[in-house]
Amino acid sequence: MDTFNSRITRINKGKQWAPDGVVHAPIQAARRKGRRGPVARLFHGISLPMAFGLGLIAMLVARYARLAVSGVPEGGGVLTETLLIDAVLALVLSFVLAQIVSMRSIPQVMVSALGVATGALTMHMAVHRAPDLFVQIFGPAWVNAVVTTTDPNMVLYGHLLQRLPV
């Protein structure tokens, strides 16, 4: 029979009894090595423009998906009437894409949302400057509706148009 003092001695030596099947693993460090190094800071700095681009792409895909589902709206109000729907869909899509590509930090998600907002408010400017590219993606009816209903130097705010100082 084991006495109290022999158990204390065994515990102090680090030879404790463990039941069968229990594996003692070393405690892992809370942070991985190299996370605060210069390479990690460089990749984080590069990931912010990538997150912005991811938000722009999400807005493009959201507009294409909504166009594929509902078509060109009557009356030609392509961007102003469906801006909120497109923006919400793009925010959800950008969040999902950010999770897939491991852009999970708060700054990366915020910059991705900023990319969605920029795409929502200024995509028509790109359509005015490169209509042939957008005709290949969205079709001529959508591009004609965007070009006829918007001004190339205006920022969209819902149903309001605000002129840029250009």
Side-chain angles (χ1 to χ4, degrees):
M1 196 161 192
D2 205 14
T3 64
F4 179 73
N5 289 332
S6 63
R7 276 189 259 163
I8 296 295
T9 306
R10 197 172 59 241
I11 289 171
N12 288 336
K13 289 182 181 177
K15 296 181 179 178
Q16 298 176 358
W17 174 83
D20 292 333
V22 174
V23 178
H24 292 286
I27 299 172
Q28 295 178 355
R31 292 188 159 276
R32 293 185 305 206
K33 293 180 180 178
R35 235 176 149 167
R36 295 183 184 205
V39 175
R41 286 193 301 267
L42 174 72
F43 283 128
H44 183 72
I46 292 172
S47 73
L48 295 178
M50 288 173 54
F52 186 80
L54 188 120
L56 290 174
I57 290 170
M59 190 67 208
L60 187 77
V61 171
R63 286 221 167 124
Y64 182 79
R66 196 217 16 94
L67 176 69
V69 170
S70 63
V72 178
E74 295 284 329
V78 175
L79 296 177
T80 56
E81 294 174 2
T82 59
L83 185 64
L84 183 62
I85 297 167
D86 293 344
V88 170
L89 182 61
L91 280 173
V92 170
L93 183 62
S94 72
F95 181 74
V96 169
L97 288 175
Q99 296 301 311
I100 290 172
V101 297
S102 297
M103 288 188 181
R104 296 183 177 119
S105 73
I106 299 295
Q108 291 166 335
V109 173
M110 289 175 57
V111 169
S112 177
L114 182 65
V116 168
T118 303
L121 298 176
T122 62
M123 185 174 164
H124 67 285
M125 293 178 185
V127 174
H128 279 277
R129 283 163 179 75
D132 296 333
L133 176 67
F134 286 93
V135 164
Q136 294 174 0
I137 299 169
F138 291 97
W142 187 85
V143 171
N144 288 336
V146 169
V147 169
T148 57
T149 59
T150 61
D151 187 31
N153 294 326
M154 295 183 117
V155 176
L156 297 174
Y157 290 104
H159 293 285
L160 303 173
L161 297 171
Q162 298 294 324
R163 187 166 242 341
L164 288 177
V166 178

